[in-house]
Amino acid sequence: MTKSSAAARDLPSMYAHASRLDAGSVALRGGLSPDLLLAGLLLALAALMLLPGALALPMELWDESRTANNAMEMAKQGGWLVTTFGYVPDHWNTKPPLMIWAMAALLRTGMDSMLAIRLPAIVAAMASALLVYVACRALLRDRLAGLVGGLLVVCSVLFMGDHVGRTGDYDALLCLLNLGFVLCAGLYIDGKTARPGIWVAAAAALLVLAVLTKGVAGGLAVPGLMVYAVVRRRLLAVLADWRLWLSAAAAAVGLAGWLALRERLDPGYLAAVWNNDVAGRMLTTLDAHEERRTYYVRLLLRQFEPAMLLSPTLLAMPWDPDPRRRRLCLLMGLAALSWLVALSVARTKLYWYAAPIVPLLAVAIGISTSTWLRGERSWPPSVVLRRVAVGLPILAALAASFWYLNLRPPSADSQYAPNQVWYGPFMAQVRAHHGLDGVVILDSGVPNNGGFSRYNPIARFLIEDAERRGEYMRLQTTTENLPTDVSVLSCDPQMRQWLARHRSFTPVHADGRCVFGRLTQAQRLETEKP
């Protein structure tokens, strides 16, 4: 038996000695300069994919507008422990406040409000692509695997699009923390690091932060890590380690303390969390978001390309003579599978729930693609064709994803279809020419399945934001008791029809979605509801 075949059979640590493949064939050799160049390239491509849409598109109606109001009210009133909507405790959006803390802190700096809401997600998405590269570079000394993996993240429409990378939602930060948690936990389970206590403590801290970002979803990789420990034949050793139990106890105490404090400050919060985030999503279908069990597999095949096209390269991993590469690839695959199984079993299914799978699989497929590209010359096809088979799909996916995310007009069934979504851009136009101080926004609310009456989250947020500028507006949801001689603004189709019926309304500025004008003799107008 050769040395390589023996190494391929056993399951040593990620920190085992480098094999001949690793020592002789690691691509893109050099000092620190190539790493800085490649990291800069990934960050630049990620920014190019994220920023045009993030800076130009209006606020999403669901769920970004809700978190934006939570953050705005937190920034203005300083209540950092209890998230509110309408300045009362919010029991509809029951997620923990870590992401909202970041948004509120940025709002308090005076930063542009939309940028403050979206910047944490943008930074987290870019950091995830960078961490994929760093993981492959630091653990495997393989720049090629890191570059391919990072590009697969950047190419993903699922990861870079709405509700994840470019909007003010929780999932981009969850993805970053989950990837860091899996990496640290894997290094600890592997058991050959110089200071395993540091890695298990880091894993516990990242798990706590992930839970504080999006509740129970932060722990969906844990079953996969347990399977990894079993395959590694390290489960009993890990369970017998006092450092694991100390870290787990500290994490449990911290999370329990947070929940107890929130419940004391806001009675009923724990029941709302159970009904909404646990039983409400795992055991029942919320708001008709029901799909087949294969939904997330089909989603990844559509919105995580060309990674899925390159996934057959995983079949080459048993022939990789470097055990570290096989182990890291298996770790990422098991963590991704843990997420996939949990999400597929849950009753409520939404596309952005699958986002944390993307960076995990990007690491695994980046490693396997690197192995396939640098494998035996006798492997079919030829080395040149292998490079073409990897390079062309990545270039095509970069171009297609950029078009889809930043050039393609929003579809009729997208988050940006309702007229009320476009208050922000329209108000910016009016502000530039007429000012908004004293304006009344007429809006009867958007249809919803949440049981909200006269629900206007985007208009509410923009009114709160205008107050920071010294402009005082108010929202009126009916036409009753309108003041005399007032400037009004509306993106509500029903309110616009009501205004168009009355000669006493003089439009000043309008587009296909919104209107701004002067309403005179309002006390004599009909007061029927639109």
Side-chain angles (χ1 to χ4, degrees):
M1 182 180 296
T2 65
K3 182 178 179 180
S4 295
S5 61
R9 279 194 342 177
D10 62 11
L11 298 171
S13 161
M14 293 178 190
Y15 278 81
H17 293 295
S19 66
R20 289 194 298 271
L21 176 94
D22 184 58
S25 303
V26 174
L28 306 173
R29 286 188 173 277
L32 183 61
S33 296
D35 291 317
L36 295 177
L37 177 64
L38 294 175
L41 173 64
L42 285 175
L43 291 177
L45 289 173
L48 183 65
M49 203 69 70
L50 290 167
L51 292 180
L55 298 178
L57 286 171
M59 182 175 289
E60 281 187 331
L61 184 58
W62 311 97
D63 299 313
E64 183 182 34
S65 62
R66 190 78 177 200
T67 59
N69 277 277
N70 295 151
M72 178 63 76
E73 293 178 13
M74 183 177 288
K76 294 184 73 172
Q77 72 176 0
W80 293 87
L81 295 177
V82 178
T83 53
T84 62
F85 184 83
Y87 293 97
V88 298
D90 191 351
H91 284 188
W92 185 79
N93 180 19
T94 54
K95 299 296 188 295
L98 183 61
M99 191 66 162
I100 296 172
W101 285 342
M103 295 175 182
L106 291 175
L107 285 168
R108 296 194 73 162
T109 68
M111 180 183 294
D112 174 79
S113 59
M114 281 299 296
L115 182 59
I117 295 301
R118 290 180 169 174
L119 186 59
I122 293 170
V123 171
M126 295 173 67
S128 294
L130 184 60
L131 183 55
V132 168
Y133 175 81
V134 171
C136 295
R137 179 67 179 97
L139 298 179
L140 305 178
R141 295 191 292 169
D142 189 347
R143 293 192 181 101
L144 180 59
L147 177 62
V148 171
L151 288 174
L152 295 180
V153 173
V154 174
C155 288
S156 173
V157 170
L158 169 63
F159 192 83
M160 291 286 159
D162 297 335
H163 262 287
V164 185
R166 70 179 183 183
T167 55
D169 294 285
Y170 303 97
D171 297 85
L173 181 58
L174 176 64
C175 292
L176 176 63
L177 295 170
N178 178 73
L179 177 59
F181 162 64
V182 171
L183 287 168
C184 291
L187 289 171
Y188 166 71
I189 292 171
D190 215 38
K192 299 296 183 181
T193 58
R195 296 182 178 178
I198 293 178
W199 293 112
V200 70
L206 289 168
L207 178 61
V208 168
L209 292 176
V211 173
L212 287 177
T213 299
K214 206 176 179 185
V216 294
L220 292 186
V222 172
L225 293 173
M226 295 178 65
V227 174
Y228 176 76
V230 171
V231 174
R232 179 66 180 88
R233 300 179 184 178
R234 288 274 302 164
L235 181 61
L236 294 180
V238 165
L239 293 178
D241 187 355
W242 64 270
R243 290 165 296 198
L244 171 69
W245 294 107
L246 179 61
S247 299
V253 169
L255 291 174
W258 151 251
L259 291 173
L261 179 60
R262 175 66 191 264
E263 178 68 17
R264 181 175 181 179
L265 296 172
D266 174 21
Y269 173 72
L270 291 180
V273 169
W274 175 261
N275 293 328
N276 186 27
D277 292 338
V278 183
R281 297 181 189 273
M282 297 296 294
L283 305 179
T284 61
T285 303
L286 291 183
D287 302 330
H289 295 302
E290 186 172 10
E291 299 285 349
R292 289 183 293 175
R293 293 287 175 87
T294 59
Y295 171 71
Y296 290 110
V297 174
R298 292 182 282 115
L299 176 69
L300 291 170
L301 289 172
R302 294 195 309 269
Q303 297 194 14
F304 188 28
E305 293 294 354
M308 294 296 97
L309 180 65
L310 297 176
S311 62
T313 61
L314 292 168
L315 298 174
M317 289 309 297
W319 286 272
D320 192 318
D322 188 344
R324 297 175 307 166
R325 300 168 64 85
R326 299 196 308 272
R327 299 312 305 154
L328 183 56
C329 188
L330 180 62
L331 171 67
M332 294 293 116
L334 289 174
L337 182 62
S338 180
W339 270 90
L340 183 61
V341 171
L343 295 178
S344 298
V345 169
R347 298 293 299 274
T348 300
K349 293 180 172 61
L350 292 163
Y351 70 85
W352 56 88
Y353 290 179
I357 297 174
V358 169
L360 297 172
L361 283 184
V363 174
I365 297 174
I367 296 169
S368 65
T369 301
S370 175
T371 295
W372 184 63
L373 284 173
R374 302 197 314 266
E376 298 292 338
R377 293 185 179 274
S378 60
W379 288 4
S382 67
V383 175
V384 173
L385 287 179
R386 285 182 231 165
R387 293 172 181 173
V388 172
V390 172
L392 284 183
I394 288 178
L395 291 175
L398 284 171
S401 297
F402 181 81
W403 171 83
Y404 185 90
L405 293 172
N406 298 302
L407 301 179
R408 181 185 66 99
S411 60
D413 59 348
S414 73
Q415 291 270 0
Y416 308 106
N419 287 350
Q420 285 96 327
V421 168
W422 295 88
Y423 271 115
F426 185 76
M427 288 170 64
Q429 298 174 21
V430 174
R431 178 180 286 114
H433 296 92
H434 307 285
L436 290 171
D437 193 33
V439 168
V440 173
I441 294 181
L442 287 176
D443 197 298
S444 59
V446 295
N448 63 87
N449 295 324
F452 303 118
S453 177
R454 308 288 184 179
Y455 190 55
N456 302 278
I458 295 177
R460 290 178 62 92
F461 174 81
L462 294 170
I463 289 173
E464 295 280 354
D465 181 52
E467 187 175 327
R468 300 194 307 158
R469 305 168 181 261
E471 299 170 336
Y472 295 90
M473 299 185 291
R474 68 184 181 89
L475 174 66
Q476 187 151 332
T477 59
T478 71
T479 58
E480 299 176 359
N481 302 318
L482 279 171
T484 304
D485 297 328
V486 65
S487 294
V488 297
L489 184 152
S490 182
C491 296
D492 180 353
Q494 297 182 58
M495 286 293 188
R496 291 178 61 197
Q497 293 176 8
W498 184 86
L499 290 169
R501 291 200 301 265
H502 297 281
R503 296 179 181 178
S504 55
F505 175 70
T506 303
V508 176
H509 185 75
D511 59 19
R513 301 183 181 94
C514 308
V515 65
F516 167 75
R518 190 74 183 174
L519 187 62
T520 58
Q521 299 178 345
Q523 74 279 10
R524 300 179 184 177
L525 296 179
E526 301 176 21
T527 59
E528 74 275 10
K529 296 180 181 179

